[in-house]
Protein backbone atom coordinates (compact mmCIF):
# COMPACT_ATOMS: atom_id res chain seq x y z
CA UNK A 1 0.00 0.00 0.00
CA UNK A 2 1.09 3.55 -0.69
CA UNK A 3 1.39 5.33 2.66
CA UNK A 4 0.56 8.67 1.06
CA UNK A 5 -2.40 8.14 -1.27
CA UNK A 6 -3.73 4.90 0.24
CA UNK A 7 -4.13 3.01 -3.03
CA UNK A 8 -3.26 -0.68 -3.33
CA UNK A 9 -2.56 -2.93 -6.25
CA UNK A 10 -5.85 -4.70 -5.59
CA UNK A 11 -7.87 -1.50 -5.25
CA UNK A 12 -6.43 0.36 -8.24
CA UNK A 13 -8.18 -1.49 -11.04
CA UNK A 14 -6.98 -0.20 -14.38
CA UNK A 15 -10.07 0.66 -16.41
CA UNK A 16 -8.59 0.49 -19.88
CA UNK A 17 -7.37 -2.15 -22.25
CA UNK A 18 -3.94 -2.04 -20.62
CA UNK A 19 -2.69 -3.35 -17.28
CA UNK A 20 -0.54 -1.06 -15.14
CA UNK A 21 2.47 -3.32 -14.53
CA UNK A 22 4.11 -0.99 -12.04
CA UNK A 23 1.06 -1.20 -9.79
CA UNK A 24 0.46 1.73 -7.49
CA UNK A 25 3.41 1.53 -5.09
CA UNK A 26 5.40 4.75 -5.22
CA UNK A 27 8.71 6.20 -4.14
CA UNK A 28 7.64 7.04 -0.60
CA UNK A 29 9.86 6.58 2.43
CA UNK A 30 8.94 3.63 4.61
CA UNK A 31 10.39 2.00 7.69
CA UNK A 32 9.31 -1.45 6.48
CA UNK A 33 12.26 -3.14 4.73
CA UNK A 34 9.94 -5.50 2.86
CA UNK A 35 7.88 -2.61 1.48
CA UNK A 36 11.05 -0.81 0.47
CA UNK A 37 12.20 -3.93 -1.38
CA UNK A 38 8.86 -4.16 -3.21
CA UNK A 39 9.01 -0.49 -4.18
CA UNK A 40 12.54 -0.89 -5.49
CA UNK A 41 11.55 -3.98 -7.48
CA UNK A 42 8.57 -2.21 -9.03
CA UNK A 43 10.60 0.86 -9.95
CA UNK A 44 13.31 -1.36 -11.40
CA UNK A 45 10.69 -3.11 -13.54
CA UNK A 46 9.28 0.24 -14.64
CA UNK A 47 12.74 1.47 -15.59
CA UNK A 48 13.25 -1.66 -17.69
CA UNK A 49 10.11 -0.90 -19.71
CA UNK A 50 11.05 2.79 -19.89
CA UNK A 51 14.40 1.89 -21.44
CA UNK A 52 12.61 -0.24 -24.03
CA UNK A 53 10.23 2.62 -24.82
CA UNK A 54 13.08 5.11 -25.11
CA UNK A 55 15.04 2.92 -27.49
CA UNK A 56 12.01 2.26 -29.71
CA UNK A 57 10.97 5.91 -29.80
CA UNK A 58 14.47 7.22 -30.44
CA UNK A 59 15.15 4.72 -33.22
CA UNK A 60 11.97 5.90 -34.95
CA UNK A 61 12.73 9.59 -34.46
CA UNK A 62 9.66 10.03 -32.27
CA UNK A 63 10.09 12.89 -29.80
CA UNK A 64 8.07 12.07 -26.68
CA UNK A 65 7.12 14.71 -24.13
CA UNK A 66 5.69 13.89 -20.69
CA UNK A 67 3.37 16.70 -19.52
CA UNK A 68 2.96 16.83 -15.74
CA UNK A 69 0.92 19.24 -13.63
CA UNK A 70 -1.65 19.54 -10.88
CA UNK A 71 -5.29 19.05 -11.93
CA UNK A 72 -6.69 22.18 -13.55
CA UNK A 73 -3.39 23.75 -14.58
CA UNK A 74 -4.48 23.79 -18.22
CA UNK A 75 -2.54 20.86 -19.73
CA UNK A 76 -5.26 19.79 -22.17
CA UNK A 77 -6.11 23.32 -23.28
CA UNK A 78 -2.43 24.06 -23.89
CA UNK A 79 -1.93 20.75 -25.67
CA UNK A 80 -4.86 21.37 -28.01
CA UNK A 81 -3.49 24.80 -28.87
CA UNK A 82 0.06 23.57 -29.53
CA UNK A 83 -1.33 20.79 -31.72
CA UNK A 84 -3.02 23.42 -33.87
CA UNK A 85 0.31 25.19 -34.17
CA UNK A 86 2.28 22.09 -35.20
CA UNK A 87 -0.04 19.69 -36.99
CA UNK A 88 0.28 21.15 -40.49
CA UNK A 89 4.01 20.42 -40.55
CA UNK A 90 4.35 17.51 -38.12
CA UNK A 91 2.72 14.18 -37.31
CA UNK A 92 1.39 14.28 -33.76
CA UNK A 93 0.09 11.55 -31.45
CA UNK A 94 -1.26 11.79 -27.91
CA UNK A 95 -1.62 9.50 -24.90
CA UNK A 96 -4.15 10.85 -22.41
CA UNK A 97 -3.91 9.69 -18.78
CA UNK A 98 -6.85 10.21 -16.43
CA UNK A 99 -8.38 8.31 -13.56
CA UNK A 100 -11.79 8.30 -15.26
CA UNK A 101 -13.59 9.38 -18.49
CA UNK A 102 -12.38 9.87 -22.05
CA UNK A 103 -13.23 13.59 -22.13
CA UNK A 104 -9.68 14.80 -22.69
CA UNK A 105 -8.99 12.28 -25.47
CA UNK A 106 -12.18 13.42 -27.20
CA UNK A 107 -11.03 17.05 -26.98
CA UNK A 108 -7.68 16.11 -28.50
CA UNK A 109 -9.24 14.01 -31.27
CA UNK A 110 -11.33 17.05 -32.20
CA UNK A 111 -8.08 18.77 -33.22
CA UNK A 112 -7.61 16.08 -35.89
CA UNK A 113 -4.85 13.99 -34.32
CA UNK A 114 -4.88 10.42 -33.05
CA UNK A 115 -5.19 9.96 -29.29
CA UNK A 116 -5.39 6.97 -26.93
CA UNK A 117 -7.14 7.33 -23.58
CA UNK A 118 -5.77 5.44 -20.57
CA UNK A 119 -7.96 5.40 -17.45
CA UNK A 120 -6.00 4.46 -14.35
CA UNK A 121 -8.83 4.07 -11.83
CA UNK A 122 -7.40 4.94 -8.41
CA UNK A 123 -3.80 4.87 -9.63
CA UNK A 124 -2.24 8.32 -9.60
CA UNK A 125 0.24 8.11 -12.50
CA UNK A 126 1.04 6.42 -15.79
CA UNK A 127 3.83 3.87 -15.95
CA UNK A 128 6.20 2.78 -18.70
CA UNK A 129 4.54 -0.56 -19.43
CA UNK A 130 1.13 0.96 -20.06
CA UNK A 131 2.69 3.71 -22.19
CA UNK A 132 4.44 1.07 -24.29
CA UNK A 133 1.11 -0.62 -25.04
CA UNK A 134 -0.52 2.73 -25.83
CA UNK A 135 2.31 3.53 -28.25
CA UNK A 136 1.66 0.24 -30.05
CA UNK A 137 -2.05 1.10 -30.33
CA UNK A 138 -1.27 4.49 -31.86
CA UNK A 139 0.68 2.98 -34.77
CA UNK A 140 2.89 6.06 -35.02
CA UNK A 141 4.80 7.15 -38.10
CA UNK A 142 8.51 7.88 -37.81
CA UNK A 143 9.74 11.41 -37.07
CA UNK A 144 6.67 12.41 -35.09
CA UNK A 145 5.74 14.15 -31.85
CA UNK A 146 4.25 12.08 -29.03
CA UNK A 147 2.62 14.02 -26.19
CA UNK A 148 1.89 12.07 -23.00
CA UNK A 149 -0.53 13.94 -20.75
CA UNK A 150 -0.01 12.36 -17.36
CA UNK A 151 -2.58 12.09 -14.58
CA UNK A 152 -2.99 15.41 -12.76
CA UNK A 153 -0.48 15.07 -9.91
CA UNK A 154 2.87 16.71 -9.14
CA UNK A 155 4.17 13.93 -6.90
CA UNK A 156 3.96 10.35 -8.18
CA UNK A 157 4.47 10.96 -11.94
CA UNK A 158 7.82 12.57 -11.15
CA UNK A 159 9.26 9.25 -10.01
CA UNK A 160 8.16 7.12 -12.98
CA UNK A 161 10.23 7.28 -16.15
CA UNK A 162 8.05 6.59 -19.21
CA UNK A 163 10.85 6.58 -21.79
CA UNK A 164 10.14 10.20 -22.77
CA UNK A 165 12.72 12.56 -24.21
CA UNK A 166 11.59 15.47 -22.01
CA UNK A 167 9.52 16.07 -18.91
CA UNK A 168 7.63 19.36 -18.92
CA UNK A 169 6.09 20.63 -15.70
CA UNK A 170 3.12 22.97 -16.05
CA UNK A 171 2.15 25.43 -13.33
CA UNK A 172 -0.73 27.89 -13.59
CA UNK A 173 -0.83 31.34 -12.03
CA UNK A 174 -3.98 30.26 -10.16
CA UNK A 175 -1.67 28.10 -8.01
CA UNK A 176 0.92 29.25 -5.49
CA UNK A 177 4.28 30.56 -6.67
CA UNK A 178 5.91 28.30 -4.07
CA UNK A 179 4.98 25.07 -5.88
CA UNK A 180 8.60 24.45 -6.99
CA UNK A 181 9.69 24.45 -3.34
CA UNK A 182 6.81 22.24 -2.20
CA UNK A 183 7.19 19.67 -5.00
CA UNK A 184 10.90 19.83 -5.86
CA UNK A 185 11.30 16.39 -7.47
CA UNK A 186 9.34 17.18 -10.62
CA UNK A 187 10.91 20.62 -11.02
CA UNK A 188 14.34 19.04 -10.64
CA UNK A 189 13.51 16.39 -13.28
CA UNK A 190 11.85 18.68 -15.83
CA UNK A 191 13.68 20.33 -18.70
CA UNK A 192 11.04 23.04 -18.99
CA UNK A 193 8.57 24.78 -16.70
CA UNK A 194 5.56 26.36 -18.36
CA UNK A 195 3.62 28.97 -16.40
CA UNK A 196 0.11 29.06 -17.81
CA UNK A 197 -2.92 31.35 -17.66
CA UNK A 198 -0.79 34.51 -17.61
CA UNK A 199 -3.79 36.44 -18.93
CA UNK A 200 -5.18 36.16 -15.37
CA UNK A 201 -2.16 37.78 -13.68
CA UNK A 202 -3.81 41.22 -13.30
CA UNK A 203 -6.52 39.62 -11.16
CA UNK A 204 -4.37 37.40 -8.94
CA UNK A 205 -1.82 37.69 -6.16
CA UNK A 206 0.84 35.55 -7.87
CA UNK A 207 4.50 36.55 -7.74
CA UNK A 208 5.82 35.52 -11.15
CA UNK A 209 9.41 36.53 -10.39
CA UNK A 210 9.51 34.51 -7.16
CA UNK A 211 8.07 31.46 -8.89
CA UNK A 212 10.85 31.55 -11.49
CA UNK A 213 13.47 32.12 -8.78
CA UNK A 214 12.19 29.15 -6.78
CA UNK A 215 12.27 26.91 -9.86
CA UNK A 216 15.86 27.96 -10.60
CA UNK A 217 16.83 27.20 -6.99
CA UNK A 218 15.66 23.63 -7.50
CA UNK A 219 16.96 23.27 -11.06
CA UNK A 220 19.33 25.99 -12.36
CA UNK A 221 19.09 24.55 -15.89
CA UNK A 222 15.30 24.48 -16.20
CA UNK A 223 13.84 26.47 -19.07
CA UNK A 224 10.88 28.74 -18.35
CA UNK A 225 8.10 29.89 -20.67
CA UNK A 226 5.25 32.12 -19.49
CA UNK A 227 2.18 31.84 -21.71
CA UNK A 228 -1.57 31.91 -22.11
CA UNK A 229 -3.33 29.35 -24.26
CA UNK A 230 -6.44 31.55 -24.17
CA UNK A 231 -4.85 34.76 -25.45
CA UNK A 232 -2.14 33.01 -27.48
CA UNK A 233 0.63 34.88 -25.67
CA UNK A 234 3.98 33.08 -26.19
CA UNK A 235 2.39 29.96 -27.69
CA UNK A 236 4.80 30.41 -30.60
CA UNK A 237 7.71 30.40 -28.13
CA UNK A 238 6.62 27.01 -26.84
CA UNK A 239 6.15 25.72 -30.39
CA UNK A 240 9.66 26.88 -31.30
CA UNK A 241 11.06 25.22 -28.16
CA UNK A 242 9.47 21.90 -29.11
CA UNK A 243 10.74 22.01 -32.69
CA UNK A 244 14.28 22.89 -31.57
CA UNK A 245 14.29 20.18 -28.89
CA UNK A 246 13.09 17.61 -31.43
CA UNK A 247 15.80 18.64 -33.92
CA UNK A 248 18.44 18.21 -31.20
CA UNK A 249 17.02 14.85 -30.07
Amino acid sequence: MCNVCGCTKADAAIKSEHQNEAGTVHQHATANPRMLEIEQDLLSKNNYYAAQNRQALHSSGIFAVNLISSPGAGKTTLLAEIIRQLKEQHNIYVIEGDQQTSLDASRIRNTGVKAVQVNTGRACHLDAHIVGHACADLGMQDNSFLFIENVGNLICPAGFDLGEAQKIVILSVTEGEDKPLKYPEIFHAAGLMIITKTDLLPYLDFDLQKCCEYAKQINPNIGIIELSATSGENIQQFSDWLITAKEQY
Side-chain angles (χ1 to χ4, degrees):
M1 173 180 288
C2 168
N3 292 329
V4 174
C5 70
C7 57
T8 68
K9 191 168 185 179
D11 290 339
I14 303 303
K15 299 180 180 179
S16 76
E17 65 264 81
H18 309 305
Q19 178 64 35
N20 188 327
E21 282 288 326
T24 55
V25 181
H26 318 296
Q27 286 191 88
H28 305 311
T30 173
N32 186 325
R34 178 57 181 158
M35 285 188 66
L36 181 60
E37 181 182 352
I38 292 171
E39 291 178 7
Q40 290 173 337
D41 288 347
L42 289 170
L43 288 168
S44 176
K45 190 173 185 179
N46 180 80
N47 290 340
Y48 168 77
Y49 287 120
Q52 288 189 321
N53 291 348
R54 183 169 288 108
Q55 182 178 4
L57 292 167
H58 189 271
S59 64
S60 298
I62 297 171
F63 185 72
V65 175
N66 185 2
L67 302 173
I68 298 173
S69 79
S70 301
K75 289 193 303 297
T76 310
T77 299
L78 175 58
L79 180 54
E81 187 59 34
I82 205 66
I83 286 170
R84 295 185 186 98
Q85 292 280 325
L86 295 174
K87 69 178 184 177
E88 297 303 321
Q89 301 295 327
H90 303 272
N91 293 316
I92 298 173
Y93 302 89
V94 177
I95 298 171
E96 280 289 343
D98 278 305
Q99 290 189 312
Q100 299 289 345
T101 83
S102 59
L103 294 174
D104 285 351
S106 296
R107 287 177 64 186
I108 295 302
R109 290 180 189 126
N110 286 338
T111 67
V113 304
K114 192 172 182 179
V116 168
Q117 179 74 53
V118 177
N119 292 136
T120 61
R122 290 184 62 189
C124 50
H125 59 83
L126 295 174
D127 65 40
H129 189 256
I130 200 170
V131 165
H133 279 290
C135 287
D137 288 349
L138 283 168
M140 295 179 286
Q141 296 183 30
D142 291 354
N143 301 313
S144 302
F145 280 101
L146 170 63
F147 292 97
I148 305 166
E149 183 176 346
N150 220 312
V151 179
N153 183 351
L154 284 176
I155 303 172
C156 299
F160 280 76
D161 184 8
L162 304 180
E164 71 274 16
Q166 287 279 355
K167 284 183 174 68
I168 296 178
V169 60
I170 299 172
L171 169 67
S172 78
V173 299
T174 55
E175 305 173 74
E177 65 269 3
D178 57 358
K179 279 290 178 71
L181 300 181
K182 290 183 174 182
Y183 305 97
E185 185 174 355
I186 182 54
F187 289 89
H188 183 267
L192 177 68
M193 175 177 75
I194 295 180
I195 302 175
T196 61
K197 305 184 184 182
T198 55
D199 55 303
L200 298 179
L201 278 171
Y203 313 103
L204 299 169
D205 183 19
F206 180 90
D207 194 321
L208 189 60
Q209 182 177 349
K210 277 189 178 180
C211 183
C212 295
E213 289 174 356
Y214 292 153
K216 290 289 188 179
Q217 285 179 28
I218 301 301
N219 180 358
N221 297 318
I222 196 169
I224 300 174
I225 296 177
E226 305 156 15
L227 58 75
S228 167
T230 300
S231 70
E233 178 190 10
N234 290 338
I235 290 293
Q236 187 63 51
Q237 184 181 355
F238 182 32
S239 176
D240 292 343
W241 185 93
L242 287 165
I243 292 170
T244 300
K246 184 177 184 299
E247 290 173 348
Q248 295 173 349
Y249 178 50

